[in-house]
Amino acid sequence: MQTVRVNIGRTSNRYRDLIFSNRRSRLSYSFTTDAQKMEPGKYLHVAVVGVGGVGTQVVEQLIANPIYGFQLVALTSSKRMLQSTKDLCINPVAWKDALNTSETPVNLSTVKSTLQELVKQSKKTVFIDNTSSQDVAEMYPALLSAGINVVTPNKKAFSGEVGLYQGIVEASGSGRYLHESTVGAGLPIISTLRDLVETGDKVVKIEGVFSGTMSYIFNNFSSVEGSDESFSSIVKGARAQGYTEPNPADDLNGADVARKLTILARIIPELKDEQENFPLPHGYQSVETTSLIQDAPASAISNGDEFMKWLPEQDAHFAQMRQQAANEGSVLRYVGVVDVKNKVVKAELAKYPKTHPFATSLGGSDNIIMFHTERYGKRPLIVQGAGAGNDVTAMGVVSDILKLIRP
Ligand SMILES: NC(=O)C1=CN([C@@H]2O[C@H](COP(=O)(O)OP(=O)(O)OC[C@H]3O[C@@H](n4cnc5c(N)ncnc54)[C@H](OP(=O)(O)O)[C@@H]3O)[C@@H](O)[C@H]2O)C=CC1
Ligand SMILES: N[C@@H](CC=O)C(=O)O
Ligand code: NA
């Protein structure tokens, strides 16, 4: 039976750790049940690498978790680290100030060896990669081989060179990897596809809107009711709301959707006799995702701020596309497909009639993913909801962590 004890004001020592980690201004609360009470010292040890938009929300959701306590290490690439201990009162303001003022020199190999020592003491550890760094992604096989779990929203490791991907799959065992937020943020896309494939269903096609940024942009730029807002100002809004990649060019050139489609395609068939660097499972032709910014200069492609300075030059081009679609009674949507039957993986900007579900049913940063399988043949299994945003992405990361520790 679960009791909820709410303490307002003084913190009772007995639940100090849980209340400290759950302190919220004046009100602190703790949930105690026999099965789940986290005894002091039995914390889950997590290293949070990357404390930007998503990483900040991951830490705050870990702190606010009403059931589990976490021994927290958080670091940024400027090598600062915050080592939380149970006597450190951490809350959404204090921990970030402590991180920003910390002078503790640290590098990722220090973090790995620290976690490795904890594994040797039979402690459960998780390495959380909230970056978009290829270098950090390439650490996963060694972490997994050392028995350290890896949880991440970073798509790079699962959509890049097949050697790294296979290395991760082969290294997992005592250390597990979970990456729900790499496709559709916290939406259950990866877990749904794994359930379908691993229960023997046969996937025929997966289609839909896979980019929260592109969804937000075209839901607003090419809306059913009509809009005259400029393309670049809407992209600016997407970035301000934390939907875009660190560089929005990665959304608009199709790279982000290509990564997601590759991640899904690799889960469907077994990877057999792969050629070096072949990005897709055997038999697939290639990932063809249309870039909307073919003319972008190299400086814009490599730097998000430079990209946003360049983008207004494209406003007239996009306004003309919008008008042409509207003249045909259509709207623009960026839609992707993994067509297993025909071995085609692609995404493109296309026109949809104003009555189409892709025109009428999406809002915000919605993704809509339709799974057409043998069992869901007549009516597809559909998952829809916010596919971008720091908090909903962090939810996918933290729910993966909880999957590792739930009894
Ligand atoms: N935003 C969203 O809606 C979604 C994002 N994702 C993925 O989540 C990841 C993070 O996205 P987001 O939070 O928006 O990006 P941000 O740019 O806001 O944060 C990334 C952070 O990583 C830090 N970082 C980069 N390299 C390193 C390193 N080597 N060691 C430690 N820290 C490092 C950066 O800070 P500094 O360089 O100062 O250390 C930065 O703060 C990306 O892979 C993205 O694709 C996935 C789904 C949805
Ligand atoms: N930039 C991405 C973030 C989630 O993967 C998107 O817009 O979907
Ligand atoms: Na997801």
Side-chain angles (χ1 to χ4, degrees):
M1 196 264 274
Q2 183 161 358
T3 58
V4 175
R5 178 174 294 113
V6 178
N7 303 300
I8 296 176
R10 272 190 57 72
T11 299
S12 94
N13 282 322
R14 187 157 168 246
Y15 296 100
R16 186 178 177 79
D17 298 314
L18 281 181
I19 288 182
F20 256 49
S21 64
N22 294 321
R23 179 186 294 280
R24 284 181 179 282
S25 64
R26 291 184 308 286
L27 176 67
S28 57
Y29 57 84
S30 66
F31 292 95
T32 55
T33 64
D34 292 339
Q36 292 166 324
K37 186 169 56 182
M38 179 67 84
E39 291 299 328
K42 283 189 182 171
Y43 292 91
L44 181 74
H45 296 262
V46 297
V48 182
V49 179
V51 191
V54 172
T56 295
Q57 291 300 317
V58 166
V59 174
E60 292 186 12
Q61 289 182 20
L62 291 175
I63 289 171
N65 191 281
I67 298 174
Y68 298 104
F70 300 89
Q71 192 76 15
L72 192 70
V73 169
L75 63 151
T76 71
S77 64
S78 27
K79 311 290 178 278
R80 287 175 294 195
M81 173 167 84
L82 166 63
Q83 174 78 39
S84 73
T85 63
K86 62 183 175 186
D87 57 3
L88 176 66
C89 172
I90 38 180
N91 64 47
V93 174
W95 73 267
K96 196 124 190 200
D97 293 345
L99 176 64
N100 290 329
T101 53
S102 160
E103 293 306 321
T104 316
V106 71
N107 58 43
L108 286 172
S109 55
T110 309
V111 172
K112 174 172 174 285
S113 50
T114 304
L115 294 178
Q116 225 164 327
E117 275 313 304
L118 290 163
V119 170
K120 287 175 186 160
Q121 299 163 27
S122 306
K123 306 271 191 201
K124 206 159 235 194
T125 64
V126 187
F127 180 96
I128 308 170
D129 172 13
N130 302 308
T131 75
S132 57
S133 162
Q134 179 68 29
D135 292 342
V136 180
E138 288 173 5
M139 290 179 66
Y140 299 175
L143 291 164
L144 292 165
S145 302
I148 299 164
N149 299 296
V150 173
V151 169
T152 185
N154 184 354
K155 307 167 187 91
K156 298 274 170 69
F158 310 100
S159 59
E161 290 192 5
V162 72
L164 175 57
Y165 180 72
Q166 284 179 322
I168 289 166
V169 172
E170 287 158 13
S172 65
S174 51
R176 291 177 58 200
Y177 67 93
L178 292 168
H179 58 93
E180 182 58 70
S181 277
T182 56
V183 180
L187 295 178
I189 308 297
I190 300 289
S191 52
T192 299
L193 179 56
R194 283 202 187 283
D195 289 348
L196 290 167
V197 169
E198 292 171 13
T199 57
D201 201 352
K202 293 288 177 255
V203 178
V204 175
K205 181 167 67 170
I206 307 173
E207 63 179 340
V209 173
F210 292 86
S211 164
T213 295
M214 299 287 235
S215 181
Y216 173 83
I217 291 171
F218 289 103
N219 293 339
N220 289 282
F221 178 72
S222 179
S223 58
V224 169
E225 55 279 352
S227 159
D228 56 9
E229 191 175 356
S230 73
F231 186 81
S232 57
S233 69
I234 293 174
V235 175
K236 193 175 173 188
R239 193 185 198 200
Q241 294 180 72
Y243 296 154
T244 68
E245 290 304 291
N247 181 350
D250 258 355
D251 296 286
L252 289 164
N253 67 8
D256 182 64
V257 171
R259 291 188 185 113
K260 292 169 176 171
L261 297 176
T262 302
I263 289 169
L264 296 175
R266 281 176 168 173
I267 291 172
I268 297 171
E270 292 306 320
L271 288 177
K272 293 190 186 67
D273 62 8
E274 287 304 329
Q275 303 150 23
E276 186 59 29
N277 301 345
F278 193 71
L280 284 171
H282 183 69
Y284 283 82
Q285 305 313 317
S286 66
V287 187
E288 301 158 6
T289 55
T290 308
S291 170
L292 305 185
I293 49 167
Q294 290 98 334
D295 304 336
S299 59
I301 293 297
S302 59
N303 178 291
D305 294 335
E306 289 305 315
F307 175 75
M308 294 308 293
K309 285 179 194 160
W310 167 82
L311 193 57
E313 294 175 27
Q314 303 302 303
D315 282 346
H317 163 68
F318 284 105
Q320 188 187 11
M321 288 172 74
R322 168 173 63 189
Q323 189 54 55
Q324 190 181 5
N327 293 344
E328 299 168 22
S330 299
V331 292
L332 298 169
R333 295 292 181 267
Y334 195 83
V335 177
V337 65
V338 177
D339 181 340
V340 182
K341 192 171 165 221
N342 299 306
K343 298 284 184 198
V344 170
V345 182
K346 67 176 183 178
E348 59 192 354
L349 186 64
K351 295 173 199 163
Y352 286 84
K354 290 184 176 179
T355 53
H356 190 283
F358 288 170
T360 57
S361 70
L362 300 176
S365 66
D366 272 4
N367 285 184
I368 180 169
I369 314 293
M370 306 168 89
F371 294 91
H372 301 268
T373 73
E374 279 183 354
R375 291 181 194 141
Y376 293 92
K378 294 186 174 59
R379 298 172 57 78
L381 187 161
I382 297 176
V383 178
Q384 179 173 343
N390 295 326
D391 53 353
V392 294
T393 306
M395 179 275 277
V397 173
V398 176
S399 66
D400 275 347
I401 293 167
L402 298 182
K403 288 184 183 85
L404 292 170
I405 51 178
R406 262 189 211 112

